[in-house]
Amino acid sequence: MSLLCYRAARKTYGSVTALAGLDLEVAAGEVISLLGPNGAGKTTTLRLAAGLVRPDSGTVTVAGHPAGSLPAKALTAYVPDEPAVYDRLTGREFLAFTARLHGIPDAAARIAAAGERFHIDGFADRLCEGYSHGQRQRLVLASAHLLQPKVLIVDEPLVGLDPQHIRIVLSWLRELADAGGAVVVSTHTLSTVEEVSDRVAILNHGRVVALGPVADLASGDGLEARYLSLTG
């Protein structure tokens, strides 16, 4: 069953074509990683799924609902490449605000679980304005965790994280998919792709130039060589 589906999705910004007719499905139980050079269309692909932008033509759906619609948003969590938090809230207040915004009934239990998972209790009662990049990233990931999404969209999730928390995040991505969710990750870290992903989509100039299981794309000279041959 496909939880996220792009059909001939096209997006331009002025004279720049970010996506030139994307066809892609992400199934329940799957982690798919997007690879590509800067400007390849990865972030636009994620933003379309999150409903932050709309395709100029074609469709993007989440569990059959148009991306950005209320039913789609109820199933989706999006973690951008720059962790956005409210500087004048504490981390704990930020999570409580997120829970109220989404109408989460068992908020206290979910906040506690997310805080424990991403080790934020040590700084959760300080104002976010004093957080390091890694602490902000962990807080934003914790806020996505408490939503318990069916579709998780993550842009460069490991930037600023230490090895311990990289391991925690990768385990969470895999667990979410194994529980029946769909995960889409944009990253430049090939080792991450090979460890956690089921499939890889390589984008270049707004088009998917390769799509398949990690093992297939990594066969021969390896994933890095395949990536460079298609994008260099």
Side-chain angles (χ1 to χ4, degrees):
M1 173 187 174
S2 294
L3 285 176
L4 177 60
C5 184
Y6 300 81
R7 287 280 184 263
R10 179 179 176 84
K11 183 65 183 177
T12 60
Y13 299 98
S15 62
V16 177
T17 299
L19 285 178
L22 176 65
D23 289 297
L24 180 67
E25 294 188 17
V26 187
E30 182 175 38
V31 178
I32 185 167
S33 287
L34 308 180
L35 294 178
N38 294 333
K42 303 183 303 297
T43 295
T44 296
T45 299
L46 300 184
R47 288 170 63 84
L48 284 169
L52 297 178
V53 295
R54 293 183 178 181
D56 299 330
S57 59
T59 61
V60 183
T61 57
V62 176
H65 306 288
S69 66
L70 289 178
K73 287 182 177 180
L75 299 172
T76 305
Y78 171 61
V79 179
D81 58 343
E82 286 292 334
V85 298
Y86 292 102
D87 283 351
R88 300 305 296 171
L89 295 179
T90 68
R92 201 177 308 280
E93 288 170 341
F94 178 79
L95 293 179
F97 171 76
T98 301
R100 288 196 301 272
L101 190 65
H102 290 269
I104 295 173
D106 52 343
R110 290 204 205 179
I111 288 171
E116 182 178 358
R117 183 70 182 263
F118 294 99
H119 299 162
I120 69 167
D121 287 341
F123 54 86
D125 295 310
R126 291 170 22 214
L127 291 177
C128 294
E129 65 182 2
Y131 286 7
S132 69
H133 182 93
Q135 289 171 332
R136 286 171 176 257
Q137 185 76 352
R138 284 155 59 188
L139 178 61
V140 171
L141 289 163
S143 70
H145 181 281
L146 68 87
L147 298 181
Q148 297 181 359
K150 291 298 292 181
V151 176
L152 177 64
I153 305 157
V154 197
D155 200 350
E156 294 290 355
L158 307 181
V159 173
L161 297 182
D162 57 53
Q164 177 188 14
H165 291 96
I166 288 174
R167 175 61 45 205
I168 289 170
V169 172
L170 294 181
S171 296
W172 174 52
L173 299 182
R174 190 67 258 169
E175 288 174 16
L176 194 152
D178 290 345
V183 180
V184 186
V185 182
S186 173
T187 182
H188 290 289
T189 309
L190 296 184
S191 59
T192 299
V193 172
E194 294 185 281
E195 179 173 350
V196 76
S197 304
D198 298 295
R199 289 192 298 153
V200 176
I202 300 177
L203 282 76
N204 199 25
H205 300 300
R207 299 181 183 276
V208 174
V209 294
L211 174 65
V214 175
D216 290 356
L217 294 187
S219 63
D221 294 330
L223 183 59
E224 181 177 6
R226 183 69 176 276
Y227 169 80
L228 292 173
S229 71
L230 290 168
T231 61

